[in-house]
């Protein structure tokens, strides 16, 4: 399941990527929102509710600008046949070209737990930004799937700057992320690795150079 707004044009590629992996998908169309960044918890709660009502057993939470490596299709059955008390994590790699990603500092250490059993939406609680898809009260065991999730947004330099500016606008005091957000556009000391053979994703990405998010560069702080 996923929501989309500025990145709606990336949805076909996401669906093509997920087609060999999932039994179906649920999307939240956020294009009617007039806020710079609509409520993430509200969107997620709506998606969780729809998945629960549809009778989903497992949920794979994604964004339109993300792609899973092809090997997930071969291993998804094994992952979901294990205990439903597990939340599976994917190594989250920030792409700087369609086939290379950054690994220095915090860049090579990111992991997102996106595959978890469906649960009643009343049990969902989260902060406004950067929150998990499930609360610790569910007592899910966090496990590493050993598989990669590729994030395409950082390929374009102006998106790196726009992402920094957007999060600084939404969380100016860095209450929700101690490291802050300036690092998102800091390329100093960058070290890259190329996707190794057998770890690629489908479909091949050709970047359009668009912004894929709200432009807050002309918005003055309140």
């Amino acid at each position: 399941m996923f929501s989309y707004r500025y990145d709606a044009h990336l949805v076909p590629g996401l669906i093509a990527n997920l087609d060999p992996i999932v039994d179906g998908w649920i999307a939240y169309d956020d294009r009617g929102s007039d806020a710079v960044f609509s409520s993430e918890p509200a969107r997620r709660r709506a998606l969780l509710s729809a998945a629960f009502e549809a009778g989903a057993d497992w949920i794979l939470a994604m964004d339109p600008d993300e792609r899973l490596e092809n090997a997930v299709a071969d291993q998804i059955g094994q992952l979901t046949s294990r205990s439903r008390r597990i939340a599976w994590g994917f190594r989250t790699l920030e792409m700087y070209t369609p086939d290379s990603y950054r690994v220095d500092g915090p860049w090579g250490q990111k992991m997102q737990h996106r595959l978890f059993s469906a649960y009643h939406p009343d049990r969902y609680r989260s902060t406004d930004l950067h929150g998990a898809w499930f609360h610790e009260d569910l007592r899910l065991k966090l496990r590493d799937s050993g598989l990669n999730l590729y994030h395409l947004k950082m390929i374009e330099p102006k998106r790196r700057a726009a992402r920094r500016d957007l999060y600084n606008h939404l969380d100016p005091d860095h209450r929700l992320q101690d490291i802050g957000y300036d690092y998102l556009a800091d390329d100093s000391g960058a070290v890259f690795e190329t996707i190794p053979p057998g770890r690629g994703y489908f479909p091949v990405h050709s970047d359009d150079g668009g912004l894929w998010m709200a432009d807050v560069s002309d918005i003055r702080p309140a």
Side-chain angles (χ1 to χ4, degrees), residues 20-23 58 71-83 88 90 115 147:
I21 299 171
V22 301
D23 296 312
W58 286 82
V72 176
D74 296 326
Q75 299 187 38
I76 190 71
Q78 181 180 358
L79 296 177
T80 55
S81 66
R82 301 280 295 275
S83 169
W88 289 105
F90 299 88
L115 179 62
L147 298 162

Side-chain angles (χ1 to χ4, degrees), residues 28-221:
Y28 184 102
D29 185 348
D30 193 41
R31 289 176 292 181
S33 175
D34 56 4
V36 169
F37 192 85
S38 63
S39 171
E40 185 172 85
R43 285 184 276 115
R44 290 185 173 185
R45 185 182 297 276
L47 286 166
L48 288 165
S49 179
F52 185 82
E53 291 176 5
D57 293 319
W58 286 82
I59 289 172
L60 177 62
M62 297 288 289
D63 287 325
D65 61 356
E66 296 173 338
R67 304 289 182 264
L68 288 168
E69 68 168 288
N70 297 332
V72 176
D74 296 326
Q75 299 187 38
I76 190 71
Q78 181 180 358
L79 296 177
T80 55
S81 66
R82 301 280 295 275
S83 169
R84 292 185 62 183
R85 307 305 302 172
I86 293 176
W88 289 105
F90 299 88
R91 185 187 180 201
T92 306
L93 300 170
E94 301 284 358
M95 308 304 290
Y96 272 58
T97 73
D99 63 357
S100 64
Y101 46 85
R102 189 169 176 178
V103 295
D104 58 287
W107 300 99
Q109 304 172 20
K110 297 185 177 186
M111 179 169 291
Q112 295 278 342
H113 291 83
R114 301 288 193 82
L115 179 62
F116 51 93
S117 58
Y119 64 91
H120 197 284
D122 287 350
R123 302 188 68 184
Y124 172 71
R125 296 192 298 281
S126 179
T127 55
D128 289 340
L129 288 171
H130 319 308
W133 278 90
F134 47 86
H135 194 267
E136 60 184 13
D137 287 354
L138 292 177
R139 299 184 179 180
L140 299 180
K141 297 177 181 179
L142 306 183
R143 295 289 184 266
D144 180 0
S145 69
L147 298 162
N148 292 339
L149 183 153
Y150 301 110
H151 186 212
L152 306 175
K153 184 167 286 180
M154 299 288 279
I155 291 174
E156 168 59 44
K158 70 181 180 183
R159 285 199 297 269
R160 300 200 283 272
R163 194 178 179 204
R164 173 202 62 198
D165 296 344
L166 176 61
Y167 283 127
N168 276 326
H169 173 77
L170 297 171
D171 182 24
D173 299 322
H174 305 161
R175 293 183 301 105
L176 304 176
Q177 182 165 285
D178 292 340
I179 193 176
Y181 306 100
D182 289 348
Y183 81 99
L184 293 170
D186 183 1
D187 294 344
S188 58
V191 178
F192 305 98
E193 290 183 1
T194 301
I195 296 176
R199 305 301 299 268
Y201 63 92
F202 175 86
V204 175
H205 178 68
S206 178
D207 205 85
D208 58 17
L211 202 57
W212 306 359
M213 71 193 90
D215 183 357
V216 299
S217 60
D218 293 332
I219 300 178
R220 296 182 179 181

